[in-house]
Structures are given as structure tokens and as C-alpha cells.
């Protein structure tokens, strides 16, 4: 493990030559695990979608219903969460974005308390103070931020603290492709390489910054190019391919754990639904292709062809996921709303 | 001390220090006591802080704990937040408070809100040190106080020492606090050899470790005729003016707020209850800020305490000018403070 002072970066010419990591090929059990995680996430998002629209009418009032406020769901982006988080333990940190559910679930955030938070209940992760863009589960070092790219800097600090404590724990910092045009992204990449921090940066490229396509926002075809310019290994993974993500993330995580510094993965994924619920997506030219790009049936076919899944196994996995998710939804609905008299509680410790 | 202890070389019980040296001594004690305390920022290593906030710390604690950062305030303040969340106690320096503009998101949306958003489950025990204030022709982007802006945004404590004793006691309190604390030191109170200084920039400081409670104002001069509520460098000016007015028989009580958040409203009310007259001196901008908050404290609680209209001496909502006569015209210089007090007491 490299033991350099954070204030004293290793000059580029003194850094060891980059050794490409060995491929991480998922074994059968891992492949089924990836599938299960993806199904669990999709089942969860479908349940939140269902509950979110309850009592929003007449018409659509964003502030009404069991789940008020903006709702950014992650259907289609499951491969990112499943493929990356498969390499993490609960001691590792994950910082996510305004669209955080898939990563929270894959990293093992307490689903009951997360759901209660989304429902604004006192039993929620943040006792109803945070909401779905502000989920914090310190038991698994999970957090997210509603501000684009601003989840990267705190992840540096978590990585810094993990290394200072002499552990091999790492931080995974996730943003979308739109965030790569923010200063926080570039400052963070520079500092992470400079101080050789154990971070894996993940860019989820779902093609859209709300309604603005990547071609209108970003001057490079791949953010891996930008990361390489900062001196870290980086790769772009196409086609939302969960096993390719698993492989690349495995190498990046291993590199960080071994004290060899940060890496960046840009993953071309898919936003199956609107930016938020209520988004009519009139701007969206690719919408007709979306169902055919759904990563879950695609992976299901792969695993069936490999003889790892059959119809019965699929239906069992989906039933298990539904049971787990409905338990969480019931827990949330059965929980009390916070007492308005306590709105000022927890501003300070 | 007991008789069995070595009688050799007793530690001095107090020393005469500048505000900067007192602040550094507080940091040094905390860093020696607690290995989780680190100091991050621009030019805090071998330079020792542009305003001498870290002189000598690198030599004592090394580059693992006293860390020069790139000019990337968003990245390194955010790094401090993440490190604090994971149990370190980072002290992070924002060289000038004016630079908050490049990193405010990490400060007010992350550092200040994570505890609340997490329902109290995640603590951010971090100190953000920053230099404030004008008076030396540094222009509109390097002279602001902005404590009203920090104070306006919920979730961070804000402390503003005016003298060596408070600088040391407040930095120790800030490091030990489980909340984010913004520690704002005025360049003009640090006792820097390269800047005009009031004699109050140097003072007696106990050698050992002690705390000044956050949220507690200090009555730095007792008086019966008028209360001046102020903070930071303006405390020095207010005390000078109070000495001068005493020769004319006007007894001015001066309150050094020391903390902007929490604001010691009881101290303000108690003093105005005694004197019936209030002048607020605030080097920050006049409107929507600390001076209005102090006056609102009286209006909310008991406007009947006042026997005369209040006066506010603050920056009249003007970007701080470069040229000396212009800058002095907008700062709460002693002449403006004196005129305001005389008006309020009718002297």
C-alpha cells in the first residue's frame, strides 16, 4: 500500500507504471446476484412509481399524495448499481445523486427506513427531514446530494479518512454525465490523483441532462478522456452491459484498495422514464427505442441461454423482490409522520 | 499542583500573544490532544497561513496533518466534510471569506445541512476558518465580512473572535464542537506585523487549554448610558470611542458578540434593558444582516426597553472601495461610531 503524505503528491514521473488489472469475470453465483439486485431495484422503482402517483390528482399536483415532491427514478440504470456495488462492502462509502435509489439498494441501505424517508415519515433515514434526494445511511456509509457534481468532494474526504485510519476501504462517487461539466468534477479528479485517494469515480451517462442531450452539453465523446488527462485510468463502458460494468468496476475497486489511486468509469446507461415523474419527455427522440434497451430482459435472456435461469427461477426472484419491497412500503405507510412541533430539531447536534 | 511534582521549570501561567499566535496555540493544543484534528487549506503549510493562522503547525505536526491544498475550494472543503463525516475533525481554511462564492454549495448545502437532512444521524464536526474584513485597501473582493450571510444560512455555528483570549478559547471550542463551526478572524485583529493594529490585537492569554463558550457574548466595557453591540475589529474601535466619550461623561457599555450563531440575545436584551439606548456597529453590509437582527431582537422581545431610536453603523450596502478615503467612508471607522453614539445619547 502506498504510504505517501497527502500533502506531498508523487510527481507523475515517479509513479509506478500502470499495470492493467486482471479481468473480473463474474462466476455463476455472482451473475445471479447481479440479476437479483437489478430485479430488486426495478421492483422497488415500480412500487415507488405506483405509490407516488396515488392522490396526485385531479391533474398532477407535485406537492400532493403519499409521496410529495420531485421523484427521480432509476429504472434502466440498474446495471450501474449492481455491477459497481457488487465489489463493495458496507464499510465502503457511496455518494450518489438526485437519482439515488438503485445505488442505495445495491449498497445495502436499510430499505425500510429508506422507504419511510421517501414517504416523509419519522422512522425514515432522516426522520423525514431529507427526502428522496437526501438519503444518509451511516451504517453503510451511503449518502447522496441533490446538487449536480457536489457529491464528489465529500467522497474524497471519506476516502481520505479511510486511508488515514489505515484501512483498505474505498469511496465510490457517482454523478451523471451532465455533472462532468461542473467545476466540482474537475477539482475532485485533480485532487484525487494528486493525493492518490482510494476513490472510484462513476459517471452514469443516461444521455440526458433533464431535456438537454449530451451532444448539446459536452465537448468530448467520452469523459474517460477527461479523466485520463488528469492522470488516472478510465474507461467508457457501452450498452449498459452489467458484466462489463462488473469487470471494469472490479479492476477500479481493486486498484483503489491496493492504494494505487483513483479511476473513473463512464457507463453508458439508460434513463427509461422521465427526468422526474410528471416529465412528459416531449423532447425525447429516442423514446421508441427504450423498451428494447431495457437491461433486465436482456440480462435475463443471457442468463437463460447460459442455463442459469429458467422461467420458474425468474418468477421466484421477482416474487422475492416484490415481498421485500412491499414490506418496506408497508413499513413506511404504517409509520408516523413527524410532529410539526419538531421541525426545528436536528439543525444542530 | 501537588508537592510531589517536579518543581523544575514551571510553565508560565500566561503569555502576551497576538490574536494570530493565540489562535495557533489553540490549534496546537487541540492537534496535540486529538490525532483526528487536521488542518487543510491554501498556503497553510510552509507559509503558515497568509494571515498567520497556522504558523509553526507544519513543523510540529508534519504534512500528514497540516496540508497545503490546490486552489480548489470546492474539492478541499468537500473533502473536509467527508472526512468529518467519517470521524476526523478537520479544520479547513478558506483564505478569504470573499471566496465563498466559488465553494458555497459545499458550505451551505452540504456542511451545514447534512446533520439535519440525516435526522441527526450524521455529524459534521468540522471547522471552517476564514479571514474577513477590510481597512487596508484590498478592494471589493478581499475585504468583506459576510458573517451575516453565513449566519443567515442554517446549520452552522459562526464565531468571530476580536482578541487573543477569545481567539484561542473559541478555536478550541470550535474544534471540539460536533457541529460545523465557521471561525471568522478579522485580518485587522490578528496583530500582523504588516498591517495597522490596535493594541487590543495583543493580550494576556493563559498558557494551558481553556474554552470560550460558543454563543456567549462578552460585556467588554460596562456603561450606563448606551449599549454598543458589535464584534470583531469594530470592538476595538468601539472601545477606543467609549474611552474618549467617557471624558465627556458618556458611559458606553460595549458588548462583543463573539458568536453570530447562536446569537446571545439575552446579553443584548440585558444591556439595552439597563441603558435604554442601542448602537449596533457591524462591518458587514447594512441591509438584511446582523445589525437588523440585533435590532429585531429588541423589537421582538420588548421595544419598550428603548428610550431613543437605535443607530446602526454598518457598510451602507456598497461594494468595498479600493481608494482609502472611499473605503474609510463605508467602513465603521471610529468617527462614524462616535457620531452615532453622540446622536443616540443626545450628547
Amino acid at each position: 500500500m502506498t504510504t505517501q503524505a497527502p500533502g506531498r503528491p508523487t510527481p507523475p514521473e515517479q509513479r509506478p507504471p500502470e499495470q492493467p488489472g486482471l479481468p473480473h469475470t463474474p462466476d455463476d453465483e455472482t451473475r445471479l446476484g447481479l440479476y437479483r439486485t437489478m430485479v430488486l431495484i426495478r421492483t422497488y422503482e415500480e412500487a415507488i412509481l405506483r405509490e407516488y402517483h396515488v392522490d396526485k390528482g385531479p391533474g398532477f399536483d407535485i406537492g400532493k399524495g403519499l409521496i410529495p415532491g420531485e421523484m427521480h427514478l432509476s429504472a434502466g440504470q440498474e446495471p450501474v448499481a449492481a455491477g459497481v456495488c457488487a465489489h463493495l462492502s458496507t464499510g465502503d462509502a457511496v455518494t450518489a445523486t438526485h437519482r439515488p435509489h438503485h445505488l442505495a439498494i445495491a449498497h445495502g441501505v436499510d430499505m425500510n427506513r429508506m422507504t419511510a424517508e421517501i414517504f416523509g415519515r419519522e422512522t425514515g433515514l432522516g426522520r423525514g427531514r431529507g427526502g428522496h434526494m437526501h438519503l444518509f445511511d451511516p451504517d453503510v456509509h451511503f449518502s447522496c446530494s441533490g446538487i449536480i457534481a457536489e457529491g464528489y468532494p465529500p467522497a474524497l474526504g471519506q476516502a481520505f479518512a479511510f486511508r488515514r485510519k489505515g484501512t483498505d476501504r474505498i469511496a465510490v462517487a457517482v454523478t451523471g454525465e451532465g455533472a462532468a461539466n461542473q467545476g466540482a468534477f474537475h477539482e475532485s479528479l485533480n485532487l484525487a490523483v494528486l493525493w492518490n485517494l482510494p476513490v472510484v469515480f462513476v459517471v452514469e451517462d443516461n444521455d440526458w441532462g433533464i431535456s438537454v442531450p449530451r451532444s448539446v452539453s459536452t465537448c468530448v465523446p467520452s469523459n474517460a478522456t477527461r479523466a485520463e488527462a488528469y492522470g488516472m485510468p478510465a474507461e467508457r463502458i457501452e450498452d449498459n452491459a452489467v458484466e462489463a460494468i462488473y469487470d471494469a468496476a472490479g479492476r477500479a475497486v481493486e486498484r483503489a484498495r491496493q492504494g494505487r489511486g483513483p479511476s473513473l468509469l463512464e457507463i453508458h446507461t439508460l434513463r427509461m422514464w422521465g427526468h422526474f415523474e410528471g416529465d412528459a419527455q416531449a423532447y425525447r427522440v429516442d423514446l421508441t427505442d427504450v423498451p428494447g434497451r431495457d437491461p433486465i430482459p436482456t440480462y435475463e435472456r443471457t442468463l437463460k441461454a447460459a442455463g442459469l435461469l429458467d422461467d420458474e427461477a425468474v418468477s421466484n426472484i421477482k416474487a422475492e423482490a416484490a415481498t421485500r419491497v412491499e414490506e418496506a412500503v408497508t413499513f413506511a405507510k404504517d409509520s408516523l409522520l413527524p410532529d410539526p412541533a419538531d421541525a426545528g430539531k436536528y439543525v444542530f447536534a | 499542583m501537588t508537592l510531589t511534582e517536579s518543581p523544575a521549570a514551571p510553565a508560565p501561567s500566561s503569555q502576551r500573544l497576538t490574536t494570530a499566535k493565540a489562535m495557533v496555540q489553540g490549534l496546537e493544543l487541540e492537534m496535540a490532544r486529538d490525532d483526528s484534528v487536521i488542518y487543510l487549506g491554501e498556503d497553510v503549510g510552509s507559509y503558515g497561513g497568509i494571515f498567520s493562522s497556522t504558523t509553526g503547525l507544519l513543523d510540529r505536526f508534519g504534512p500528514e496533518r497540516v496540508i497545503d491544498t490546490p486552489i480548489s475550494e470546492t474539492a478541499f472543503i468537500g473533502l473536509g466534510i467527508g472526512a468529518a463525516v467519517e470521524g476526523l475533525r478537520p479544520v479547513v481554511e478558506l483564505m478569504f471569506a470573499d471566496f465563498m462564492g466559488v465553494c458555497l454549495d459545499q458550505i451551505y448545502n452540504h456542511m451545514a445541512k447534512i446533520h439535519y437532512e440525516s435526522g441527526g444521524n450524521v455529524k459534521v464536526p468540522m471547522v471552517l476558518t476564514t479571514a474577513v474584513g477590510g481597512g487596508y485597501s484590498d478592494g471589493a473582493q478581499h475585504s468583506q465580512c459576510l458573517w451575516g450571510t453565513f449566519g443567515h444560512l442554517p446549520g452552522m455555528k459562526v464565531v468571530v473572535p476580536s482578541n487573543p483570549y477569545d481567539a484561542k478559547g473559541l478555536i478550541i471550542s470550535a474544534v471540539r464542537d460536533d457541529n460545523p463551526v465557521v471561525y471568522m478572524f478579522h485580518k485587522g485583529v490578528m496583530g500582523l506585523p504588516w498591517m495597522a493594529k490596535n493594541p487590543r490585537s495583543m493580550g494576556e492569554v493563559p498558557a494551558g487549554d481553556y474554552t470560550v463558550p460558543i454563543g456567549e457574548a462578552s460585556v467588554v466595557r460596562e456603561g450606563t448610558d448606551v449599549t454598543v453591540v458589535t464584534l470583531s475589529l469594530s470592538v476595538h474601535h468601539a472601545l477606543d470611542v467609549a474611552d474618549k466619550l467617557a471624558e465627556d461623561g458618556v458611559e458606553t457599555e460595549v458588548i462583543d458578540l463573539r458568536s453570530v450563531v447562536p446569537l446571545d440575545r439575552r446579553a443584548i436584551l440585558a444591556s439595552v434593558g439597563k441603558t435604554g439606548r442601542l448602537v449596533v456597529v457591524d462591518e458587514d453590509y447594512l441591509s438584511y444582516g446582523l445589525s437588523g437582527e440585533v435590532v429585531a431582537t429588541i423589537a421582538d422581545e420588548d421595544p419598550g426597553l428603548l428610550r431613543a431610536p437605535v443607530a446602526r453603523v454598518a457598510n451602507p450596502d456598497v461594494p468595498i472601495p479600493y481608494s482609502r478615503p472611499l473605503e474609510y467612508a463605508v467602513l465603521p471607522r471610529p468617527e462614524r461610531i462616535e457620531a452615532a453614539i453622540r446622536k443616540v445619547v443626545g450628547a
Side-chain angles (χ1 to χ4, degrees), chain B residues 15 68 92 127 194 198 306:
Chain B
Q15 343 87 295
D68 273 327
V92 184
V127 183
W194 46 283
N198 189 287
L306 289 169

Side-chain angles (χ1 to χ4, degrees), chain A residues 5-6 8 125-127 129-130 134 141 145 147 150 153-154 157-158 160 164-165 187 191 195 343 345-346 348-349, chain B residues 35 38 63-65 67 70 72-75 78-79 82-83 86 105-106 109-110 115-119 121 155-156 179:
Chain A
R8 289 179 182 164
L125 287 171
R127 298 183 162 100
R129 271 81 173 165
H134 310 291
H141 305 270
S145 169
I147 309 295
E150 298 286 342
Q158 292 177 294
F160 178 96
R164 191 157 191 280
K165 291 172 182 171
E187 288 188 20
L191 194 54
W195 291 1
K345 230 171 151 178
Y346 309 117
F348 289 108
Chain B
D35 187 50
I38 57 173
E64 295 273 0
R65 295 181 67 194
I67 309 169
S72 303
E73 288 86 351
T74 289
L79 187 148
E86 295 299 343
D105 191 73
Q106 287 299 326
N109 265 333
H110 293 83
H115 184 264
Y116 187 77
E117 289 173 330
S118 71
N121 289 315
M156 41 191 158
N179 294 285

Side-chain angles (χ1 to χ4, degrees), chain A residues 32 43 86 117 120 123 131 143 175 197 221 227 242 251 268 295 306 308 349:
Chain A
L32 285 171
T43 308
E117 185 61 27
T123 55
S143 59
T175 66
L197 295 171
V242 67
R251 285 179 279 119
H268 189 206
L308 292 175

Side-chain angles (χ1 to χ4, degrees), chain B residues 319-340:
Chain B
I320 298 181
Y322 163 66
S323 181
R324 188 176 304 117
L326 295 177
E327 187 187 23
Y328 277 21
V330 306
L331 292 179
R333 300 289 302 169
E335 304 73 33
R336 285 180 66 203
I337 299 170
E338 182 181 340

Side-chain angles (χ1 to χ4, degrees), chain B residues 166-186:
Chain B
D166 290 345
K168 180 174 170 181
L170 280 171
I171 195 72
I172 293 175
S173 293
V175 169
R176 293 180 189 176
D177 203 293
D178 277 342
N179 294 285
V181 180
V182 183
Y183 180 98
M184 310 183 86
F185 53 88
H186 197 297

